Amino acid sequence: MTDIDLSDLAADRDGSRPLRGYLASPAGTGPWPAVVMIHEIFGLDDVMRGHADRLSADDGYEAAAVNYGQLPRHLDETLAAACPIVASYGGRDRSLRGAASRLEAALEKAGVTHDVKEYPAASHAFLNDTEAGPPALRPLLRVAGIGPEPESAKDAWDRIELFFATHLS
């Protein structure tokens, strides 16, 4: 499990700087099937590292967690010739309103295999198994409904694991 600095790579492509990442690899020697995780708004934190560790230790994937968030401005260009994508969104997440349907439409248009689902009962950070974000803001986040939503999270993890088993085996 390694923290990585991707700032030089990002600078070469007009991307976010600084750009940090985390790489979780299964024990032993690879190669392993690999996944890239895109986190929620609170950035690359211990909760996201825990998700990468879960995918690595429990499921045998090399998991890279990088510090991006929103859909790219040029979505159609970005998704041209993309690998299969699984994505889960909270329907009550005001910061990503419409993102699931925009992503799904762009993936359909590009002919990319995908599984995109929006969970009506969930908000931002619903997949987390613990609260995230700055500790001083957590009471406000709870009031806003932001954070873990176990029922949606279980379904999302089941979808993720099935999708990876289907497309990375």
Side-chain angles (χ1 to χ4, degrees):
M1 314 316 167
T2 306
D3 284 301
I4 52 178
D5 184 348
L6 301 165
S7 298
D8 291 339
L9 183 64
D12 291 344
R13 292 167 175 77
D14 294 324
S16 300
R17 290 171 292 232
L19 182 61
R20 306 270 185 254
Y22 179 75
L23 182 64
S25 300
T29 57
W32 305 283
V35 299
V36 176
M37 295 174 31
I38 299 178
H39 63 79
E40 38 80 1
I41 199 167
F42 303 117
L44 183 57
D45 59 12
D46 288 340
V47 175
M48 293 302 107
R49 286 179 182 89
H51 289 323
D53 291 343
R54 173 185 175 165
L55 289 168
S56 175
D58 294 355
D59 298 320
Y61 301 111
E62 189 160 53
V66 295
N67 200 17
Y68 329 134
Q70 300 287 329
L71 292 176
R73 239 180 255 134
H74 306 288
L75 190 55
D76 290 340
E77 293 170 29
T78 302
L79 293 175
C83 65
I85 292 176
V86 59
S88 301
Y89 290 90
R92 294 178 38 227
D93 184 348
R94 291 187 177 124
S95 70
L96 294 170
R97 188 165 299 189
S101 59
R102 284 194 315 275
L103 177 59
E104 180 141 35
L107 291 167
E108 285 289 330
K109 181 178 177 182
V112 174
T113 300
H114 63 280
D115 176 357
V116 176
K117 184 171 180 177
E118 186 174 88
Y119 292 89
S123 187
H124 201 84
F126 78 91
L127 194 60
N128 295 349
D129 53 2
T130 187
E131 291 181 315
L137 293 179
R138 289 179 185 170
L140 295 172
L141 297 172
R142 280 193 297 274
V143 169
I146 297 173
E149 204 293 292
E151 189 174 313
S152 299
K154 181 184 179 331
D155 184 73
W157 274 114
D158 289 347
R159 286 181 34 256
I160 290 165
E161 290 169 348
L162 177 61
F163 192 87
F164 288 171
T166 301
H167 298 287
L168 296 175
S169 298

